[in-house]
Amino acid sequence: MANLYPGRKRRNAIWIALAWAATAFGLGWLVLILGALLLKGFGGLSIDVFTKMTAPPGVAGGLLNSIVGSVIQTLLGLVISAPLGILAGTFLAEYGRYTRFAAIVRFINDILLSAPSIVVGLFVYEFCVVPFGHFSGLAGGVALAVISTPIIVRTTEDMLGLVPNTLREAASALGMPRSLVIQRVAYRAVRAGLVTGILLAIARMTGETAPLIFTALGNSLFTADPTQPMSSLPLIIYEFARSPYPEQQKLAWTGALIVTLTVLSLSIFARVISSSRSASR
Amino acid sequence: MTASAIPATETSGSLPSDRSAALGRLKLRDAGFRFLTFGAASLVLILLLGVAITLFIGAWPAFQHFGLDFFISDSWSPPKERFGAAAAIYGTIVTSIIAMLIGVPVGLGIAVFLTELCPPVLRRPIGVAIELLAGIPSIIYGIWGVYYFKPFMQAYAQPFLIGTLGAIPGVGALFAGPPLGYGILTAGLVLAVMILPFVTAISRDVFETVPSVLKEAAYGVGATTFEVVGNIVLPYTRVGVVGGVMLALGRALGETMAVTFVIGNATKISTSILSQGTTISAMIANQFADADPGLFTSSLLALGFILFIITFIVLALARWMLSRLEVKAGR
């Protein structure tokens, strides 16, 4: 018995060391990637980036049209996905909570949540580009909406699931109809949670590239017209990162830094909101 | 609204009709809101069906023209209108296998660290840092991969692999060829880093469902941390961990931008994982915008349809396994 102990202890030490190593490995990548972004992208940050258009090689340019395109398409996506996602999430949590139909929708929504975004791009191409005959920022927005809706559905349902039933019962006992119980009581109780879902959706949309390649296509000129092909930050990173010209590569890195900082600060902000709420409960 | 209507009926005799009108309005509003939410929920279902049906319709000409050959042939030649999916499917599967081989053990290691070993003060910051890794958009992995990771692979990792493993008969075929930097292995490794946080997040969550009495009992009879993890935590959470791994696999199979940057985009199958290749998603991303309508576009849509079906099956299995664990945890 006694002579087993050193062996067990040694094996334990080895596995614990491996777990530490795995964590160091994971954190190491984060440091390497963020470090590279700061190193390569920070130097390019200037007023020009935010005030000038993307330019052909040799001409000093910025990222203005891409930034505006990103914002417009994200807003378009949000206008579609936020109401749709919140309503669908409401059905799953309130009206249909224990029904078979809701179980199916929940299952399908979870699959859409991690479905390959490139496939979503193909779908929107067939659905929004082919019928109109040309690429457009609107199609890009629709593609982003398809990607972000499942996120909002999921967070809305999860958050409404946390509302204590006694709250709903109290409201119903006062004679409030069901729809008002949901809108005036349940939504109000989980407002922070709904905002979290929307922030996470925006974060996801900001970084998406694959579904935009053949929906919004990209545009080297400034446009705020959603029926025209539209540029966006991820698309311009995709284009410029493969460019042979150093100034375009530099802009790609600056764009990458902007996108990453936006996405990460949105997701950290979302986390802060939701955790400060759960702490107060 | 109703609260104000009730006292009103007590003061005036003419108001009951008002009251019923108000109730009628509310009833309508109730039914309307319910219908609205039901419609939104149905739309989620319709969306998935819509994706499947649209892609299938778009892909049908290619399936019809090439038949089963589409899945077997690895020739991809737009000028000759010869299209086969084999090289893309092969690349997708091999890069995903490489990603899983590395990402899963490391991801599980981090989850074990976070749940069993980590000092409580560091638990939250490290957990958040790993989740940030999941938050970084895939295009960023792509640009980073091509500027930093690819040169590293070309200068150090690949020559080393060719010199050591490449010399072994049999296994050596996997590591043959010049060190190009781009290739299936590079793409697989970048994918490994990308799926790692998903494995960690889900494993950590399911590890936390293990009742502490079980762990305490094991520690109580003198088990080491490793033995507790191996004999209590993992067996208890097996289904959930497998579900999380499948979820990560679903991500790896469909990942596009990062792979496109580093895989080299060569439509061929070769035994060496150092050689350039392609995946379904990389091929679509690269060629779809410029594809001629007709068989070329249809073949790319067919690739998309295949990817959709593969990931659907993988993700459905993942969700099914995770839901089984939820049922268990609920008891």
Side-chain angles (χ1 to χ4, degrees), chain B residues 146-189:
Chain B
V146 79
Y147 281 81
Y148 285 91
F149 195 56
K150 179 230 142 198
F152 166 79
M153 290 297 289
Q154 189 167 19
Y156 304 101
Q158 292 186 345
F160 173 76
L161 287 173
I162 293 166
T164 52
L165 295 173
I168 305 169
V171 190
L174 279 176
F175 302 98
L180 299 163
Y182 296 104
I184 291 196
L185 179 65
T186 313
L189 292 177

Coordinates of all heavy atoms in Angstrom, one line a residue, chain B residues 146-189:
Chain B
V146 N -1.2 34.9 -40.9 CA -0.5 35.1 -42.2 C 0.8 35.9 -41.9 O 1.8 35.7 -42.6 CB -1.3 35.6 -43.3 CG1 -1.6 37.1 -43.2 CG2 -0.8 35.2 -44.7
Y147 N 0.7 36.9 -41.0 CA 1.9 37.7 -40.8 C 2.9 37.2 -39.7 O 4.1 37.5 -39.8 CB 1.5 39.1 -40.4 CG 1.0 40.0 -41.5 CD1 -0.2 39.9 -42.0 CD2 1.9 40.9 -42.1 CE1 -0.7 40.6 -43.1 CE2 1.5 41.6 -43.2 CZ 0.2 41.5 -43.7 OH -0.2 42.2 -44.8
Y148 N 2.4 36.4 -38.7 CA 3.3 35.9 -37.7 C 3.4 34.4 -37.7 O 4.5 33.9 -37.5 CB 2.8 36.4 -36.3 CG 3.0 37.9 -36.1 CD1 2.1 38.8 -36.4 CD2 4.3 38.3 -35.5 CE1 2.4 40.2 -36.3 CE2 4.5 39.6 -35.4 CZ 3.6 40.6 -35.7 OH 3.9 41.9 -35.5
F149 N 2.2 33.7 -37.7 CA 2.3 32.3 -37.5 C 2.9 31.5 -38.7 O 3.7 30.6 -38.6 CB 0.9 31.8 -37.2 CG 0.9 30.4 -36.6 CD1 1.7 30.1 -35.5 CD2 0.2 29.4 -37.2 CE1 1.7 28.8 -34.9 CE2 0.2 28.1 -36.7 CZ 1.0 27.8 -35.5
K150 N 2.5 32.0 -39.9 CA 3.0 31.3 -41.1 C 4.5 31.5 -41.3 O 5.2 30.4 -41.5 CB 2.3 32.0 -42.4 CG 2.7 31.4 -43.7 CD 3.1 32.5 -44.6 CE 4.2 32.1 -45.5 NZ 4.9 33.2 -46.1
P151 N 5.1 32.7 -41.1 CA 6.6 32.7 -41.1 C 7.2 31.8 -40.0 O 8.3 31.2 -40.3 CB 6.9 34.2 -40.8 CG 5.6 34.9 -41.2 CD 4.5 34.0 -40.9
F152 N 6.6 31.8 -38.9 CA 7.2 30.9 -37.8 C 7.2 29.4 -38.3 O 8.1 28.7 -38.1 CB 6.4 31.1 -36.5 CG 6.6 30.0 -35.5 CD1 7.8 30.1 -34.7 CD2 5.7 29.0 -35.3 CE1 8.0 29.1 -33.8 CE2 6.0 28.0 -34.4 CZ 7.1 28.1 -33.6
M153 N 6.0 29.0 -38.8 CA 5.9 27.6 -39.3 C 7.0 27.4 -40.4 O 7.6 26.3 -40.4 CB 4.5 27.4 -39.9 CG 3.4 27.4 -38.9 SD 3.5 26.1 -37.7 CE 3.1 24.6 -38.7
Q154 N 7.1 28.3 -41.3 CA 8.0 28.1 -42.4 C 9.5 28.1 -42.0 O 10.3 27.2 -42.4 CB 7.8 29.3 -43.4 CG 8.6 29.1 -44.7 CD 8.1 30.1 -45.7 OE1 7.5 31.2 -45.4 NE2 8.3 29.9 -47.0
A155 N 9.8 28.9 -41.0 CA 11.2 29.1 -40.6 C 11.7 28.0 -39.6 O 12.8 27.5 -39.6 CB 11.5 30.4 -40.1
Y156 N 10.7 27.7 -38.7 CA 11.1 26.8 -37.6 C 10.4 25.5 -37.5 O 11.0 24.4 -37.6 CB 11.0 27.5 -36.2 CG 11.7 28.8 -36.2 CD1 11.1 30.0 -36.3 CD2 13.1 28.8 -36.0 CE1 11.8 31.2 -36.3 CE2 13.9 29.9 -35.9 CZ 13.2 31.1 -36.1 OH 13.9 32.3 -36.0
A157 N 9.0 25.5 -37.4 CA 8.3 24.3 -37.1 C 8.3 23.3 -38.2 O 8.6 22.1 -38.0 CB 6.8 24.7 -36.8
Q158 N 8.1 23.8 -39.5 CA 8.0 22.8 -40.5 C 9.4 22.2 -40.9 O 9.4 21.0 -41.0 CB 7.4 23.5 -41.8 CG 5.9 23.7 -41.5 CD 5.2 24.2 -42.7 OE1 5.8 24.6 -43.7 NE2 3.8 24.2 -42.7
P159 N 10.5 23.0 -40.9 CA 11.8 22.3 -41.2 C 12.1 21.3 -40.1 O 12.6 20.2 -40.3 CB 12.8 23.4 -41.1 CG 12.0 24.6 -41.5 CD 10.6 24.4 -41.0
F160 N 11.7 21.6 -38.8 CA 11.9 20.7 -37.7 C 11.1 19.4 -37.9 O 11.7 18.3 -37.8 CB 11.5 21.4 -36.4 CG 11.6 20.5 -35.2 CD1 12.7 20.1 -34.6 CD2 10.4 19.9 -34.7 CE1 12.8 19.3 -33.5 CE2 10.4 19.1 -33.6 CZ 11.6 18.7 -33.0
L161 N 9.8 19.5 -38.3 CA 9.0 18.3 -38.5 C 9.5 17.5 -39.6 O 9.6 16.3 -39.6 CB 7.6 18.8 -38.8 CG 6.8 19.3 -37.6 CD1 5.4 19.8 -38.0 CD2 6.6 18.2 -36.5
I162 N 10.0 18.2 -40.7 CA 10.5 17.4 -41.9 C 11.7 16.7 -41.5 O 11.9 15.5 -41.8 CB 10.8 18.4 -43.1 CG1 9.4 19.0 -43.6 CG2 11.5 17.7 -44.2 CD1 9.6 20.2 -44.5
G163 N 12.6 17.3 -40.7 CA 13.8 16.7 -40.3 C 13.7 15.6 -39.3 O 14.4 14.6 -39.3
T164 N 12.7 15.6 -38.4 CA 12.5 14.6 -37.4 C 11.5 13.5 -37.9 O 11.8 12.4 -38.3 CB 12.1 15.2 -36.1 OG1 11.0 16.0 -36.3 CG2 13.2 16.0 -35.5
L165 N 10.2 13.9 -37.8 CA 9.1 13.0 -38.1 C 9.1 12.6 -39.6 O 8.8 11.5 -40.0 CB 7.7 13.6 -37.8 CG 7.5 13.8 -36.3 CD1 6.2 14.6 -36.1 CD2 7.5 12.5 -35.5
G166 N 9.6 13.5 -40.4 CA 9.6 13.3 -41.9 C 10.5 12.1 -42.3 O 10.3 11.5 -43.3
A167 N 11.5 11.9 -41.4 CA 12.5 10.8 -41.7 C 12.0 9.4 -41.4 O 12.5 8.4 -41.8 CB 13.8 11.1 -41.0
I168 N 10.9 9.3 -40.6 CA 10.4 8.0 -40.2 C 9.6 7.4 -41.3 O 8.7 8.1 -41.9 CB 9.5 8.2 -38.9 CG1 10.3 8.9 -37.8 CG2 9.0 6.8 -38.4 CD1 9.4 9.3 -36.6
P169 N 9.9 6.2 -41.7 CA 9.1 5.6 -42.8 C 7.6 5.5 -42.4 O 7.3 5.2 -41.2 CB 9.7 4.2 -42.9 CG 11.0 4.2 -42.1 CD 10.9 5.3 -41.1
G170 N 6.7 5.7 -43.3 CA 5.3 5.5 -43.0 C 4.8 6.9 -42.5 O 4.1 7.6 -43.3
V171 N 5.0 7.2 -41.3 CA 4.6 8.5 -40.7 C 5.1 9.7 -41.6 O 4.5 10.7 -41.7 CB 5.0 8.7 -39.3 CG1 4.3 9.9 -38.6 CG2 4.6 7.4 -38.5
G172 N 6.3 9.4 -42.1 CA 7.1 10.5 -42.8 C 6.3 11.1 -44.0 O 6.4 12.3 -44.3
A173 N 5.4 10.3 -44.6 CA 4.6 10.8 -45.7 C 3.7 11.9 -45.3 O 3.5 12.8 -46.1 CB 3.8 9.6 -46.3
L174 N 3.4 12.0 -44.0 CA 2.5 13.1 -43.5 C 3.3 14.4 -43.5 O 2.7 15.4 -43.5 CB 2.0 12.7 -42.1 CG 0.8 11.8 -42.0 CD1 0.5 11.5 -40.5 CD2 -0.4 12.4 -42.7
F175 N 4.6 14.3 -43.4 CA 5.4 15.5 -43.2 C 6.4 15.6 -44.3 O 7.5 16.1 -44.1 CB 6.2 15.4 -41.8 CG 5.2 15.3 -40.7 CD1 5.0 14.0 -40.1 CD2 4.6 16.4 -40.2 CE1 4.1 13.9 -39.0 CE2 3.7 16.2 -39.1 CZ 3.5 15.0 -38.5
A176 N 6.0 15.3 -45.5 CA 6.9 15.4 -46.7 C 6.7 16.8 -47.3 O 5.7 17.4 -47.1 CB 6.6 14.3 -47.7
G177 N 7.7 17.1 -48.2 CA 7.5 18.3 -49.0 C 8.3 19.5 -48.4 O 8.7 19.4 -47.3
P178 N 8.3 20.6 -49.2 CA 9.1 21.7 -48.8 C 8.3 22.5 -47.7 O 7.1 22.4 -47.6 CB 9.2 22.6 -50.0 CG 8.0 22.2 -50.8 CD 7.7 20.7 -50.5
P179 N 9.0 23.2 -46.8 CA 8.3 24.0 -45.8 C 7.8 25.3 -46.4 O 8.5 26.3 -46.6 CB 9.4 24.3 -44.8 CG 10.7 24.2 -45.5 CD 10.5 23.3 -46.7
L180 N 6.5 25.4 -46.8 CA 6.0 26.5 -47.5 C 5.4 27.5 -46.5 O 5.1 28.6 -46.9 CB 4.8 26.0 -48.4 CG 5.3 25.1 -49.5 CD1 4.1 24.4 -50.1 CD2 6.1 25.8 -50.6
G181 N 5.2 27.1 -45.3 CA 4.5 28.0 -44.3 C 3.0 27.8 -44.4 O 2.3 27.4 -43.4
Y182 N 2.4 28.1 -45.6 CA 1.0 27.9 -45.8 C 0.7 26.4 -45.7 O 1.6 25.6 -46.1 CB 0.6 28.4 -47.1 CG 0.7 29.9 -47.3 CD1 1.7 30.4 -48.0 CD2 -0.2 30.7 -46.7 CE1 1.8 31.8 -48.2 CE2 -0.1 32.1 -46.9 CZ 0.9 32.6 -47.6 OH 1.0 34.0 -47.8
G183 N -0.5 26.0 -45.4 CA -0.8 24.6 -45.5 C -1.8 24.1 -44.5 O -2.3 24.9 -43.7
I184 N -2.1 22.8 -44.6 CA -3.1 22.2 -43.8 C -2.8 22.2 -42.4 O -3.6 22.5 -41.5 CB -3.4 20.7 -44.3 CG1 -4.0 20.8 -45.7 CG2 -4.2 19.9 -43.4 CD1 -4.7 19.6 -46.2
L185 N -1.5 21.9 -42.0 CA -1.1 21.9 -40.6 C -1.2 23.3 -40.0 O -1.8 23.4 -38.9 CB 0.4 21.4 -40.5 CG 0.9 21.3 -39.1 CD1 0.1 20.3 -38.2 CD2 2.4 21.0 -39.1
T186 N -0.7 24.3 -40.7 CA -0.8 25.7 -40.2 C -2.3 26.0 -39.9 O -2.6 26.6 -38.9 CB -0.2 26.7 -41.2 OG1 1.0 26.1 -41.7 CG2 0.0 28.0 -40.6
A187 N -3.2 25.7 -40.9 CA -4.6 26.0 -40.7 C -5.2 25.3 -39.5 O -5.9 25.8 -38.7 CB -5.4 25.7 -42.0
G188 N -4.8 24.0 -39.4 CA -5.3 23.2 -38.3 C -4.8 23.8 -36.9 O -5.6 23.8 -36.0
L189 N -3.6 24.2 -36.9 CA -3.1 24.8 -35.6 C -3.8 26.1 -35.2 O -4.2 26.3 -34.1 CB -1.6 25.0 -35.7 CG -0.7 23.8 -35.8 CD1 0.7 24.1 -35.9 CD2 -0.9 22.9 -34.5

